[in-house]
Amino acid sequence: MGESTRTFGAALRAQRALLGLTQREVADRARVSVRALRYIENGSAPRPALLRRLASTVGLDSAIFTRTPLARIRILGPLEVEGVPVPLMQRRLLGLLALHPNQVVAREEIIDALWQDSPPDSHVHLVHNYVTRLRAFSTVERVHCGYRLVADSAGLDLVRFNELLVRADLAGLGEAVGLWRGPVLADLPAEVRLHPTAIALHQRRIAAVLAHTDLALRTTGEPFSPSLITLAHDEPLHEGLQARLMLALARTGQQASALRLFERVRSRLAAELGVEPRRDLRDAHLRVLRQEV
């Protein structure tokens, strides 16, 4: 039994009492049996058409009780909205708002993300329509200068990620890096996918993976994680990630693989950037050579 159903039954009973109507009177006006009305007031789920008819009979707003439940939104990877297909322009808007949960995103920033330098004459009306459609499964508030997506850790993976980073323990960091399914908003156009907030979030992902790996290497935890392997592959010139991967390989008895990885990274740094490895990569190499992992 859904919470909205229980709320409607209680609201119907209270409104009927306020109007001084009996169950028989309301049932007759709504063309429903007294028995069915009694079940509904006790929490049974009416059909949408019957719910609207009963609400109209006693003067309740049926939209409050027929609204689609909030969907879980995930942006740590391709944008996913649980059970709800979302068209492209609305996906752009939702992605931008979800990058800034519980913060106001200015109307000008929204217009730029949706249309860049060529917004249509009806852009204000279009944004309003997109927001209206997003409200079918999410909570979007209008603020005088823009819009805000209201979300908690149960409804948006980014909020959960932020909460877990605060814990900073091995289990919390492991869950935090495990929330990622790929680059943030990976399936959206560059205007959203490469937004400065998205780029900063990617750096926070790397920092979380480094912190998780360091903590695992200092304890009995497993030094490998899918996120470490994935990010080291995607960021072949990130010396911090490559250094941790080397240490993880050596710790699991793969010293030769760790040393080969160092040689590959050193060659690539020289060929693509014209630089030598920095201290963290050199130190990891030395620890592998000395078997101090």
Side-chain angles (χ1 to χ4, degrees):
M1 185 186 306
E3 183 62 32
S4 62
T5 301
R6 290 197 296 270
T7 301
F8 175 70
L12 176 63
R13 184 170 57 250
Q15 184 73 355
R16 178 177 60 77
L18 182 64
L19 296 175
L21 299 174
T22 66
Q23 286 185 331
R24 168 62 65 183
E25 290 171 323
V26 171
D28 289 344
R29 295 181 187 182
R31 304 186 305 281
V32 65
S33 70
V34 173
R35 182 180 181 183
L37 177 60
R38 185 179 301 118
Y39 283 151
I40 292 168
E41 288 191 350
N42 288 333
S44 294
R47 299 186 305 275
L50 178 55
L51 185 152
R52 289 191 291 269
R53 194 161 71 240
L54 285 167
S56 176
T57 298
V58 298
L60 290 174
D61 182 1
S62 63
I64 297 174
F65 307 102
T66 57
R67 180 178 298 166
T68 303
L70 299 185
R72 179 168 173 77
I73 300 167
R74 302 203 294 173
I75 69 169
L76 304 181
L79 175 63
E80 290 185 0
V81 182
E82 184 179 37
V84 181
V86 184
L88 177 59
M89 295 301 285
Q90 294 165 46
R91 290 174 69 83
R92 289 190 185 191
L93 174 57
L94 178 60
L96 180 64
L97 294 175
L99 277 174
H100 308 85
N102 304 309
Q103 302 174 42
V104 178
V105 180
R107 188 178 295 107
E108 293 75 13
E109 188 172 355
I110 292 173
I111 293 170
D112 182 64
L114 296 183
W115 296 288
Q116 297 75 62
D117 297 327
S118 304
D121 294 338
S122 58
H123 63 269
V124 174
H125 179 68
L126 287 172
V127 170
H128 175 74
N129 283 346
Y130 297 157
V131 168
T132 298
R133 294 171 186 174
L134 293 181
R135 284 172 176 159
F137 58 83
S138 62
T139 302
V140 181
E141 297 178 344
R142 181 176 181 178
V143 187
H144 68 281
C145 60
Y147 293 91
R148 171 172 53 212
L149 175 69
V150 180
D152 58 17
S153 59
L156 180 62
D157 56 357
L158 175 55
V159 176
R160 179 60 177 164
F161 176 73
N162 291 334
E163 290 180 354
L164 291 166
L165 290 189
V166 174
R167 285 174 45 181
D169 58 14
L170 187 61
L173 289 171
E175 183 180 344
V177 300
L179 291 173
W180 288 80
R181 299 165 290 112
V184 60
L185 296 171
D187 59 333
L188 291 190
E191 290 76 19
V192 179
R193 176 170 43 85
L194 299 181
H195 188 281
T197 303
I199 294 174
L201 182 55
H202 175 67
Q203 295 303 317
R204 294 179 61 219
R205 178 194 184 189
I206 292 176
V209 170
L210 296 178
H212 175 253
T213 305
D214 287 345
L215 193 54
L217 286 167
R218 293 198 301 268
T219 65
T220 58
E222 170 60 53
F224 280 113
S225 72
S227 290
L228 172 63
I229 298 170
T230 297
L231 278 179
H233 178 271
D234 294 343
E235 303 276 352
L237 298 180
H238 193 292
E239 297 183 51
L241 289 168
Q242 303 305 324
R244 269 64 167 199
L245 184 56
M246 286 174 53
L247 294 173
L249 286 168
R251 179 166 180 170
T252 54
Q254 303 176 68
Q255 185 182 30
S257 295
L259 294 175
R260 286 195 297 270
L261 174 60
F262 175 77
E263 292 301 327
R264 287 199 303 271
V265 176
R266 182 170 67 174
S267 297
R268 193 160 185 172
L269 287 170
E272 297 186 24
L273 301 180
V275 299
E276 290 294 316
R278 292 181 296 187
R279 180 173 179 177
D280 53 353
L281 195 61
R282 296 198 311 269
D283 287 349
H285 180 235
L286 188 61
R287 289 178 63 187
V288 173
L289 288 173
R290 294 175 175 174
Q291 299 185 8
E292 296 174 349
V293 295

